[in-house]
Amino acid sequence: MDLTPLFKPKSIAVLGASQNGNTIGGRPIRFLKEYGYQGAIYPINPKYKECQGLKCYPNITALPEAVDHLMVVVRAELVADAVLQAAQKGIKSVMIFSSGFAEAGEEGKAMQRRIQDVAREYNMPVCGPNCQGFIDHFNQVTATFTGSLVNGDFNKGPVAFCSQSGAMGYHFYGMAQRMGLGFSYMVSTGNEAVLTTSDFLRYALDDENTGLVASYMEAINDPDQLARCADLAFKKQKPLLVMKVGRSMAGSQAASSHTGSIAGEDRIADTFLEQNGILRVDSVGQFFDLFKVFSNPKRLKGDNVGIVSISGGAGVVMADDCERFGLNVVTFAPETEENLTQKLPYFGSAKNPVDLTAQVLTASEKFYDCLKCVADDPNTDAIVVFIGLLEHMKDILVPPIARLEKETEKPILVTWMACDDPIRKDFKKYGIPLYEEPTRCIYALGQLNRFRKALAHQSERKKQPTVAPDQSLTAKVSQLLDGDSKELDEMTSKELIQAFGIPATKDVLVTDKSEAGEKAAEIGFPVVMKIVSPEVAHKADVGGVILDIKDKDQATQAFESIMQGVSRARPQARLKGVMISPMVRNGLEMLVGIKNDPVFGPVLMAGLGGSYVEIFKDVSTRVLPITAFEAKDMLKELKAYKLLKGARGGAPRDIDALVEVLLKTSTLAMSLSDRISELDINPLLVFEKGKGVMALDALVSVK
Amino acid sequence: MDLTPLFKPKSIAVLGASQNGNTIGGRPIRFLKEYGYQGAIYPINPKYKECQGLKCYPNITALPEAVDHLMVVVRAELVADAVLQAAQKGIKSVMIFSSGFAEAGEEGKAMQRRIQDVAREYNMPVCGPNCQGFIDHFNQVTATFTGSLVNGDFNKGPVAFCSQSGAMGYHFYGMAQRMGLGFSYMVSTGNEAVLTTSDFLRYALDDENTGLVASYMEAINDPDQLARCADLAFKKQKPLLVMKVGRSMAGSQAASSHTGSIAGEDRIADTFLEQNGILRVDSVGQFFDLFKVFSNPKRLKGDNVGIVSISGGAGVVMADDCERFGLNVVTFAPETEENLTQKLPYFGSAKNPVDLTAQVLTASEKFYDCLKCVADDPNTDAIVVFIGLLEHMKDILVPPIARLEKETEKPILVTWMACDDPIRKDFKKYGIPLYEEPTRCIYALGQLNRFRKALAHQSERKKQPTVAPDQSLTAKVSQLLDGDSKELDEMTSKELIQAFGIPATKDVLVTDKSEAGEKAAEIGFPVVMKIVSPEVAHKADVGGVILDIKDKDQATQAFESIMQGVSRARPQARLKGVMISPMVRNGLEMLVGIKNDPVFGPVLMAGLGGSYVEIFKDVSTRVLPITAFEAKDMLKELKAYKLLKGARGGAPRDIDALVEVLLKTSTLAMSLSDRISELDINPLLVFEKGKGVMALDALVSVK
């Protein structure tokens, strides 16, 4: 669907136009005129002949042309008909400000469905309903009624911002505009009946005036589309920033009552964004901080920071913050330290963080020389400058920074505590990111570094094929999943994972005691014996498990003891028999699992198994599909990775075999995503390097 | 030492006074005059007869009176003599701006020591050297040369702020003043040759104009004094906020090169502050946020928040933030929801967070009614209001909030995104904390709640006696610590802890094989046997440990096998014999330890022992002394606490006995703080409830 008529309309009509430039129906016309929109504007309202000095039309049909864009500001009940008329007239795009749709109950949902149907039939882009419109800063299209435009702030620049919440988005936009941050687009998507956040993100990523794309989301409605946006962002090397709210239980409930969307688990949303290289932020302040740093086109090549401060104390604060945000306060090359030592008074510090002392600041040239030293140091990737107060020295201090900004490819970030408006304007003019608190400055630099690492990660990830479903295996195992039970028993679960190539103990079901002795001997002692019954979940609690059985006699006795014990404890249970498995030792107990998320689909889990699972919750997750690179990465995230590598004198484990199981489990999950809701392999024993892995237990839950 | 002459001087002299009101020697005189200081001002400079319109004196001796306060702005070499002259003249307090002392090498250190000697001899309070002075806002004493006063910002209020870094402190102060935050005192302490941060904190805590006390620290120089300040803060129920920098390795190195102080381990500093109820902040922004909320005298009674927002989206953001910062988005009482439902349009939300919608905001009375509903709800402890844009509606929206502020005892915090100066001034006038980003607002409320919990914690803690050293035991075990080894062997270590009442296995040392069999039988099988040798640290690696020995024969063989095995592996080692211990099972493996920190002294540790210690680092710490309440609290902090309580169907463990061991270990550490540097009891087996604990291994390191 082409969004050009929406974003760059040659003509605009407003249905429900008002004479009063302060109402929802009046503001769009007022703003279009005030902010210099170049196309034709057609107010529609049967009450007027003229509206805000423009010729006014009685209805859509009466319009002199099929406009590129129609804004709709009439009562909810009238909207669907208006959209149909617009489509029939040949109007190329529609935006609906009116509310009272999906967010307001069943009747509203039905009206919203009618709008969707028309849009689909006529292939017409529709934004909203229940939205606050959009702004295209490079074409002076102010198709919105937001109060943020009342004050005349209108800075154009590289930021494209898209918000599911109109109010929150425009509060944010208004505040950013007052801070002087420049935008390309600002869009409020409302109920997303037709066009979604992803449609706008894609449009903005393709736009050449846009350097960074950001979105405020209350729900991720289409993870696949969003993942495609992330792909495009990666190709364009543009940062894609997302503030996804509803992290908490209270927040996610509030979000779903606000937008009617399903939340999904926030931890999974986090994983999804991270694995697609989308930078998640957690507050509006973080958005501002990132807009500043990403509005400058310079990017980091590494994580080594050189800090130049007029105060030793600020250097300490920033060094702490560097560590907090994953940056390195690098040791300067010897010649840098020597050079700086010559330039600084004896009570300054030529080591990183550099303490310039006030003496250096008396002349631009001295200050420039010190900055230049640090920028020229082969070890630094970025320069952070700290200044406080000293407003009267603006014209000594700003020009050297501006000069260096032009001369070096390394990002320069400035913190100026207690600065004033003239200073802010200067830095805006030179396009240098300016912060007023040291921690926010270093946070932003940390995120620039996170972007660098995310790009590198994506490029590694995309080198390998992603796991795909295997339909032949789906067919092969299909009958295992038929049946009336919500859970497969252990033997069937293991059969299923073995069909997908995951090693599991070879178990044998026996139904009488002599068979028990024979089969146990065939397997080879020692063995483990467990009751098999669909009604007995916690087998050990009812005497249903016996370990370390060493010979035929013990096996025979064990059979009797298990059958009798369980019969006594659970007289109603159907006992299918006793399962005999080899007793396996000396592996590290890990777990591998699958969970189906209502929003994101199958999610893979890997973690430490055994006794401490519930205590330490050392588990990493990925939304499927993944590549082998990502499977390895999941393991590296774990604290237990140290154990896999062979901590405390232990032997290194067979990590490759474990990665293989993760990939096979992914194939399984994707092949059977319609059939199974959960899979737990726990414990999966991981043996010494080269010796493979073995699933000791598995449990499949059927949909 | 009485600080009144320093903070409220009736007369002030400036040694090194300058005619130029923009220099370090000129600004203090200029500021004192400009900001309305009421006492006499005496410039001292042999070059002038008159200085800035005041009579100028050639030297200290020539002063017409023994002034309350002398500021010193002369070269470092001249300072110590000046301080002596001042003392001899009877001057009651001195502040030294000059730098070039302890921060600048050995010569400077010697000069600083001379100042200390004079101050001690004459019992004269001295601030600095290398400081930027202080401001007493309620008495118009501006004894500083800071650039922050150049702009004329001078808001008085309840904040007392003390900074070890002059520049950082005054940048912070300058920014806070521009935000309209009101101060009682602002002090820069510099090198703290005589007066320390704690001296100033104590003075400010006692001051009735001061409601909250805050400090920026690069080093905690006197933890005992700071703990006493915390006691005083608790008695006065005033919050004590500390930004302690040097968290990171790079930051702590920068701090120590900046101030010359020893850093200590940051994790211990964190523990120390927390256990004394001092609120640590991590950025200057957090300081601002807290100054706002604590400047209002209202305090929280619980953690239940009612949120009233003009935007559904902002409600979601704030609900998320509540969870992040430990607050509860409480469910309203049914009558509150009913009342709100009547007042709101159908597309609003009467549930918490309340979505007012723009309709409610058209009249003050409607807005007030909704706020009042939430404030009157018996379930809420605080009210958070969110507004964005709408500057033109200030006079409709602010008065209802101001009215409620007077009527309710519950704290009201406001976030107004994209607000403007007139709005900021209004909220300042009413003393209502105003934020411009939702997350910072909820952060501040979370800290108000942290303060409530810290007070409750302190009051619990102070009900019980703290652990004290036991000198009789010190004497008793003294000879165990004599010797040339840095580490005691396992048997001696256990003897030491047993002397302090900590249960440990009763071990026996045997030196021949027949004795081994007999003693093992006396102990009772099964037993464990281990080599005893000061030269063998990792006993198991050289065949020096045999477990689960079941009879006399096995014991005899084990003795031979151990002695021969170790001799072969370590021919040089002195083998003292073999230690026999009972084989103990079925306990949860914990660890208890002591570590001596260079700044904070003995620190107690408790955590999960056994295999995963290094992987999960599940350890909590306390600076000694502690009370029994705190020992229990240490355990509650652990993830392993679930295991102690009996997770996964396991039996509950003897937590009381473990607490007892923590207290006894504390007694040991305090009694022997001069003698031992470290103690590790690992594993300490914790048996089922009522069955006690048992140390299986212990290692004492001697100083």
Side-chain angles (χ1 to χ4, degrees):
Chain A
M1 217 181 272
D2 181 17
L3 301 193
T4 310
L6 185 76
F7 277 109
K8 306 194 187 316
K10 295 200 188 70
S11 50
I12 296 179
V14 181
L15 177 66
S18 165
Q19 285 285 22
N20 182 343
N22 269 323
T23 60
I24 299 185
R27 274 190 183 164
I29 298 171
R30 169 184 157 197
F31 292 153
L32 286 168
K33 290 168 70 184
E34 279 181 12
Y35 286 95
Y37 172 65
Q38 298 292 313
I41 308 170
Y42 304 108
I44 307 174
N45 191 329
K47 283 195 276 181
Y48 311 124
K49 290 277 173 215
E50 205 188 82
C51 179
Q52 298 191 44
L54 297 168
K55 180 168 185 212
C56 190
Y57 297 83
N59 52 51
I60 292 172
T61 333
L63 288 175
E65 60 168 310
V67 292
D68 274 359
H69 186 56
L70 171 73
M71 283 179 253
V72 176
V73 205
V74 293
R75 281 206 322 278
E77 300 79 55
L78 307 175
V79 170
D81 286 342
V83 174
L84 180 60
Q85 280 172 37
Q88 288 167 341
K89 172 90 183 176
I91 286 175
K92 295 181 198 71
S93 71
V94 171
M95 185 163 45
I96 304 161
F97 294 154
S98 324
S99 53
F101 293 88
E103 82 283 10
E106 283 312 312
E107 213 177 322
K109 276 184 192 153
M111 296 192 291
Q112 186 164 320
R113 271 193 301 274
R114 274 197 62 208
I115 297 169
Q116 285 168 327
D117 291 343
V118 174
R120 262 181 223 131
E121 191 186 334
Y122 288 84
N123 194 32
M124 180 175 68
V126 174
C127 181
N130 191 24
C131 78
Q132 297 199 8
F134 73 86
I135 303 171
D136 173 350
H137 293 72
F138 283 86
N139 293 284
Q140 292 85 44
V141 186
T142 50
T144 173
F145 61 90
T146 177
S148 346
L149 289 180
V150 171
N151 287 321
D153 294 300
F154 197 77
N155 298 302
K156 66 182 176 189
V159 179
F161 185 60
C162 172
S163 175
Q164 286 179 344
S165 162
M168 200 60 198
Y170 273 106
H171 295 151
F172 179 84
Y173 169 82
M175 203 164 154
Q177 284 286 317
R178 282 181 205 181
M179 293 165 73
L181 290 164
F183 282 64
S184 56
Y185 297 100
M186 167 67 211
V187 191
S188 140
T189 60
N191 290 10
E192 305 199 346
V194 180
L195 293 174
T196 67
T197 294
S198 298
D199 294 315
F200 291 109
L201 296 181
R202 198 178 305 115
Y203 187 84
L205 285 163
D206 272 329
D207 176 70
E208 60 181 10
N209 291 320
T210 300
L212 63 144
V213 177
S215 173
Y216 170 93
M217 294 184 188
E218 299 190 351
I220 296 177
N221 292 320
D222 48 2
D224 290 349
Q225 289 300 320
L226 187 55
R228 261 172 234 150
C229 288
D231 267 351
L232 182 59
F234 172 72
K235 278 189 204 104
K236 303 268 180 181
Q237 303 274 299
K238 291 180 185 178
L240 177 52
L241 318 177
V242 166
M243 178 170 176
K244 161 74 178 67
V245 298
R247 268 200 187 275
S248 62
M249 186 59 79
S252 116
Q253 280 168 359
S256 90
S257 81
H258 185 221
T259 63
S261 312
I262 300 164
E265 201 183 315
D266 187 73
R267 187 182 137 93
I268 309 296
D270 218 39
T271 300
F272 172 81
L273 296 171
E274 179 83 23
Q275 85 188 77
N276 283 288
I278 299 171
L279 306 187
R280 186 174 188 171
V281 304
D282 275 327
S283 71
V284 292
Q286 291 182 344
F287 253 147
F288 296 135
D289 296 340
L290 294 196
F291 284 7
K292 286 182 190 173
V293 78
F294 284 115
S295 286
N296 183 304
K298 289 185 188 175
R299 297 292 175 257
L300 275 179
K301 297 216 168 76
D303 59 6
N304 294 313
V305 184
I307 301 172
V308 181
S309 172
I310 64 156
S311 136
V316 178
V317 171
M318 289 182 140
D320 278 357
D321 288 333
C322 279
E323 185 173 282
R324 193 193 313 185
F325 299 120
L327 298 162
N328 180 32
V329 183
V330 72
T331 303
F332 291 142
E335 55 276 22
T336 307
E337 270 190 34
E338 277 163 37
N339 278 337
L340 281 170
T341 305
Q342 285 167 18
K343 294 179 208 312
L344 296 179
Y346 73 100
F347 51 93
S349 166
K351 288 188 195 304
N352 198 9
V354 178
D355 181 0
L356 287 183
T357 77
Q359 269 189 36
V360 172
L361 305 178
T362 47
S364 280
E365 202 58 33
K366 279 195 205 173
F367 183 46
Y368 171 81
D369 285 349
C370 294
L371 292 175
K372 177 82 173 148
C373 264
V374 176
D376 285 347
D377 186 296
N379 296 348
T380 59
D381 298 307
I383 302 97
V384 172
V385 183
F386 179 91
I387 303 172
L389 298 168
L390 301 178
E391 312 87 304
H392 58 290
M393 289 173 70
K394 173 175 92 71
D395 295 330
I396 296 177
L397 299 177
V398 179
I401 303 175
R403 182 176 158 198
L404 192 69
E405 168 70 14
K406 275 192 196 155
E407 292 172 354
T408 179
E409 287 185 351
K410 298 177 184 177
I412 301 178
L413 280 75
V414 177
T415 300
W416 196 317
M417 274 182 79
C419 73
D420 58 11
D421 268 333
I423 294 171
R424 288 181 197 115
K425 286 206 178 99
D426 262 17
F427 281 100
K428 170 148 179 55
K429 184 172 76 190
Y430 296 116
I432 300 168
L434 172 70
Y435 297 84
E436 304 188 27
E437 294 172 17
T439 304
R440 296 183 71 160
C441 175
I442 305 293
Y443 163 76
L445 186 60
Q447 295 294 305
L448 202 58
N449 191 41
R450 186 176 161 211
F451 179 59
R452 176 184 71 82
K453 290 199 286 186
L455 287 179
H457 188 94
Q458 290 303 312
S459 109
E460 279 305 319
R461 179 190 173 216
K462 285 170 200 290
K463 280 180 191 161
Q464 298 175 331
T466 50
V467 172
D470 183 334
Q471 300 306 346
S472 66
L473 290 173
T474 309
K476 199 175 140 195
V477 302
S478 178
Q479 86 292 348
L480 294 176
L481 295 161
D482 297 335
D484 53 1
S485 179
K486 290 296 280 179
E487 290 180 347
L488 305 187
D489 64 40
E490 183 180 337
M491 288 189 72
T492 315
S493 296
K494 280 183 182 163
E495 209 179 316
L496 184 76
I497 64 173
Q498 282 173 318
F500 280 85
I502 298 162
T505 48
K506 301 271 179 293
D507 309 320
V508 177
L509 179 71
V510 295
T511 49
D512 71 53
K513 62 179 180 180
S514 66
E515 198 191 5
E518 278 159 35
K519 295 291 179 185
E522 276 173 31
I523 288 170
F525 296 103
V527 298
V528 176
M529 291 171 63
K530 299 184 204 169
I531 191 71
V532 178
S533 165
E535 281 87 31
V536 179
H538 299 284
K539 308 170 192 124
D541 297 353
V542 292
V545 179
I546 298 180
L547 303 175
D548 206 11
I549 295 160
K550 291 189 170 123
D551 55 35
K552 259 185 157 176
D553 281 355
Q554 284 187 10
T556 316
Q557 284 163 27
F559 180 88
E560 286 193 312
S561 149
I562 287 176
M563 293 299 278
Q564 286 165 14
V566 178
S567 302
R568 225 176 294 126
R570 296 286 163 83
Q572 310 301 329
R574 285 174 296 163
L575 307 187
K576 289 168 78 174
V578 171
M579 188 181 94
I580 310 181
S581 321
M583 173 95 183
V584 189
R585 301 179 207 252
N586 297 324
L588 177 66
E589 294 190 337
M590 298 292 290
L591 71 83
V592 171
I594 290 292
K595 204 167 141 175
N596 260 291
D597 184 88
V599 174
F600 299 100
V603 176
L604 179 66
M605 298 181 295
L608 182 67
S611 340
Y612 289 143
V613 175
E614 291 302 314
I615 305 300
F616 291 110
K617 299 186 172 69
D618 186 27
V619 173
S620 60
T621 54
R622 287 293 183 284
V623 175
L624 295 180
I626 57 164
T627 67
F629 172 77
E630 288 173 280
K632 240 175 237 164
D633 214 54
M634 283 179 83
L635 299 179
K636 286 184 189 160
E637 269 173 31
L638 296 174
K639 289 188 175 149
Y641 191 63
K642 282 187 193 164
L643 295 172
L644 286 168
K645 298 261 285 179
R648 306 181 52 251
R653 301 285 160 175
D654 200 333
I655 295 176
D656 292 344
L658 179 54
V659 166
E660 206 48 48
V661 167
L662 289 175
L663 294 172
K664 285 171 173 165
T665 306
S666 303
T667 305
L668 184 159
M670 295 182 69
S671 307
L672 301 173
S673 62
D674 299 337
R675 306 292 307 276
I676 70 171
S677 60
E678 269 184 60
L679 162 64
D680 273 298
I681 307 176
N682 183 18
L684 177 81
L685 285 195
V686 184
F687 303 114
E688 289 183 14
K689 203 170 175 174
K691 296 193 176 163
V693 299
M694 179 69 72
L696 297 197
D697 201 348
L699 179 64
V700 172
S701 303
V702 183
K703 269 190 184 172
Chain B
M1 216 180 275
D2 181 18
L3 303 192
T4 309
L6 185 77
F7 276 108
K8 306 195 186 317
K10 294 200 186 66
S11 51
I12 297 179
V14 181
L15 178 66
S18 166
Q19 286 285 21
N20 181 344
N22 269 323
T23 60
I24 298 185
R27 274 190 182 164
I29 297 170
R30 168 184 157 197
F31 292 153
L32 286 168
K33 291 168 69 183
E34 278 181 11
Y35 287 94
Y37 172 64
Q38 298 293 314
I41 309 170
Y42 304 109
I44 308 174
N45 192 330
K47 286 196 276 180
Y48 312 124
K49 290 272 177 226
E50 204 189 83
C51 179
Q52 298 190 44
L54 297 167
K55 178 166 190 217
C56 192
Y57 297 83
N59 53 50
I60 292 172
T61 334
L63 287 175
E65 60 168 310
V67 291
D68 273 359
H69 186 57
L70 172 73
M71 282 180 256
V72 175
V73 203
V74 293
R75 282 207 320 280
E77 301 78 54
L78 307 175
V79 169
D81 285 343
V83 173
L84 181 60
Q85 280 173 37
Q88 287 167 340
K89 173 88 183 175
I91 285 174
K92 295 179 198 72
S93 70
V94 170
M95 184 162 48
I96 304 161
F97 293 153
S98 325
S99 53
F101 291 89
E103 81 283 9
E106 283 313 314
E107 211 175 321
K109 276 184 193 154
M111 294 192 292
Q112 185 164 319
R113 271 193 301 274
R114 275 196 59 210
I115 296 169
Q116 285 168 328
D117 291 343
V118 174
R120 263 182 222 128
E121 192 186 335
Y122 290 85
N123 193 33
M124 181 174 67
V126 174
C127 181
N130 191 24
C131 77
Q132 297 198 10
F134 72 86
I135 304 172
D136 173 351
H137 293 72
F138 284 86
N139 294 283
Q140 291 85 44
V141 184
T142 50
T144 173
F145 61 90
T146 177
S148 346
L149 288 181
V150 171
N151 286 321
D153 295 300
F154 196 76
N155 297 302
K156 67 182 174 189
V159 179
F161 185 60
C162 173
S163 176
Q164 285 179 345
S165 163
M168 200 59 198
Y170 273 107
H171 295 150
F172 179 85
Y173 169 83
M175 203 164 153
Q177 284 286 318
R178 283 182 204 179
M179 293 166 73
L181 289 165
F183 281 65
S184 55
Y185 297 100
M186 166 68 211
V187 192
S188 140
T189 61
N191 290 10
E192 304 199 346
V194 180
L195 293 174
T196 68
T197 294
S198 298
D199 294 315
F200 291 110
L201 296 181
R202 198 178 304 115
Y203 187 83
L205 283 164
D206 273 328
D207 175 70
E208 61 181 12
N209 291 320
T210 300
L212 62 147
V213 177
S215 173
Y216 170 94
M217 294 185 186
E218 298 190 352
I220 295 176
N221 291 321
D222 47 2
D224 290 347
Q225 290 300 320
L226 187 55
R228 259 172 236 150
C229 288
D231 267 349
L232 182 58
F234 172 73
K235 276 189 206 104
K236 303 266 181 184
Q237 303 275 297
K238 292 181 184 178
L240 177 50
L241 317 177
V242 166
M243 179 170 174
K244 161 74 179 64
V245 298
R247 268 200 187 274
S248 63
M249 186 59 81
S252 119
Q253 279 167 1
S256 90
S257 82
H258 184 222
T259 62
S261 311
I262 299 164
E265 201 182 314
D266 186 72
R267 186 182 138 91
I268 309 296
D270 219 37
T271 300
F272 172 81
L273 296 172
E274 179 82 24
Q275 86 189 78
N276 284 288
I278 299 170
L279 305 187
R280 185 172 188 173
V281 304
D282 276 325
S283 71
V284 292
Q286 292 183 342
F287 253 149
F288 296 135
D289 296 340
L290 294 196
F291 284 8
K292 285 182 191 174
V293 76
F294 284 115
S295 286
N296 182 304
K298 289 185 190 175
R299 297 294 176 253
L300 275 179
K301 297 217 168 76
D303 59 7
N304 295 314
V305 184
I307 301 173
V308 181
S309 171
I310 64 155
S311 135
V316 179
V317 171
M318 290 182 140
D320 278 357
D321 289 334
C322 280
E323 184 171 281
R324 193 192 314 183
F325 298 120
L327 297 163
N328 180 33
V329 183
V330 74
T331 303
F332 291 143
E335 56 276 22
T336 307
E337 271 191 34
E338 277 163 39
N339 278 337
L340 280 170
T341 305
Q342 285 167 18
K343 295 180 208 312
L344 297 179
Y346 74 98
F347 51 93
S349 166
K351 289 188 194 303
N352 196 10
V354 178
D355 181 359
L356 285 185
T357 78
Q359 269 188 34
V360 172
L361 305 178
T362 46
S364 281
E365 201 58 33
K366 279 193 205 174
F367 182 46
Y368 170 80
D369 284 348
C370 293
L371 293 174
K372 176 82 173 149
C373 264
V374 175
D376 284 348
D377 187 297
N379 297 349
T380 60
D381 297 308
I383 301 98
V384 172
V385 182
F386 178 90
I387 303 173
L389 300 167
L390 302 179
E391 314 86 304
H392 57 290
M393 288 172 70
K394 172 174 93 68
D395 294 331
I396 294 176
L397 299 177
V398 179
I401 304 174
R403 182 176 157 199
L404 193 68
E405 168 71 14
K406 277 192 196 153
E407 291 173 354
T408 179
E409 286 185 352
K410 299 177 183 177
I412 301 177
L413 280 76
V414 177
T415 300
W416 195 318
M417 275 183 77
C419 73
D420 58 10
D421 267 335
I423 293 171
R424 288 181 196 112
K425 285 204 178 102
D426 261 17
F427 282 99
K428 173 153 174 53
K429 185 172 73 188
Y430 297 116
I432 300 168
L434 172 70
Y435 298 84
E436 305 189 25
E437 295 172 16
T439 304
R440 296 183 72 160
C441 175
I442 304 292
Y443 164 76
L445 186 59
Q447 295 294 306
L448 202 57
N449 190 41
R450 186 176 161 211
F451 179 58
R452 176 183 70 84
K453 292 198 286 186
L455 288 179
H457 188 94
Q458 290 304 312
S459 107
E460 279 305 318
R461 178 187 174 218
K462 285 171 201 289
K463 279 180 192 161
Q464 298 175 329
T466 50
V467 172
D470 183 333
Q471 300 306 347
S472 67
L473 290 172
T474 310
K476 199 175 140 197
V477 301
S478 179
Q479 88 292 347
L480 294 176
L481 296 160
D482 297 337
D484 53 1
S485 179
K486 291 293 282 179
E487 289 179 349
L488 305 189
D489 64 39
E490 183 179 335
M491 287 190 72
T492 315
S493 296
K494 281 183 182 163
E495 210 178 317
L496 186 75
I497 64 173
Q498 283 173 317
F500 280 86
I502 298 162
T505 47
K506 302 272 177 292
D507 309 321
V508 178
L509 180 71
V510 296
T511 49
D512 71 52
K513 62 178 180 181
S514 66
E515 198 189 5
E518 277 158 36
K519 294 290 180 187
E522 275 172 33
I523 288 171
F525 296 103
V527 298
V528 177
M529 290 172 65
K530 300 185 203 168
I531 191 73
V532 177
S533 165
E535 280 89 30
V536 179
H538 299 283
K539 307 170 192 125
D541 297 354
V542 292
V545 179
I546 298 181
L547 304 176
D548 204 11
I549 294 160
K550 292 191 169 120
D551 56 38
K552 259 185 157 175
D553 282 357
Q554 284 187 10
T556 315
Q557 286 166 28
F559 181 89
E560 285 194 314
S561 150
I562 287 174
M563 293 300 278
Q564 286 167 13
V566 178
S567 302
R568 227 176 294 124
R570 295 285 164 82
Q572 311 301 329
R574 287 174 293 164
L575 307 187
K576 290 170 74 175
V578 171
M579 188 181 95
I580 310 181
S581 322
M583 173 95 184
V584 189
R585 299 180 207 251
N586 296 325
L588 176 68
E589 293 190 337
M590 300 290 292
L591 72 81
V592 170
I594 291 292
K595 205 166 141 176
N596 261 292
D597 184 89
V599 173
F600 298 100
V603 175
L604 180 66
M605 297 181 296
L608 183 69
S611 339
Y612 289 145
V613 175
E614 291 303 315
I615 306 299
F616 293 109
K617 298 187 173 67
D618 186 27
V619 174
S620 60
T621 52
R622 288 292 183 284
V623 175
L624 294 179
I626 56 164
T627 65
F629 173 77
E630 288 173 281
K632 239 175 235 166
D633 213 54
M634 285 178 82
L635 299 178
K636 287 184 188 161
E637 269 175 29
L638 297 173
K639 289 189 175 150
Y641 190 63
K642 282 188 193 165
L643 296 172
L644 286 168
K645 297 260 286 179
R648 303 180 55 253
R653 301 283 161 178
D654 201 334
I655 294 176
D656 291 344
L658 179 54
V659 167
E660 205 50 45
V661 168
L662 289 174
L663 294 172
K664 284 170 175 166
T665 305
S666 303
T667 305
L668 183 158
M670 295 182 68
S671 307
L672 301 173
S673 62
D674 299 338
R675 305 292 307 277
I676 71 171
S677 61
E678 267 184 61
L679 162 65
D680 273 299
I681 306 175
N682 183 19
L684 176 80
L685 287 195
V686 183
F687 304 114
E688 290 183 14
K689 200 167 174 174
K691 296 191 175 163
V693 300
M694 178 71 70
L696 297 196
D697 201 349
L699 179 64
V700 172
S701 303
V702 182
K703 269 193 184 168

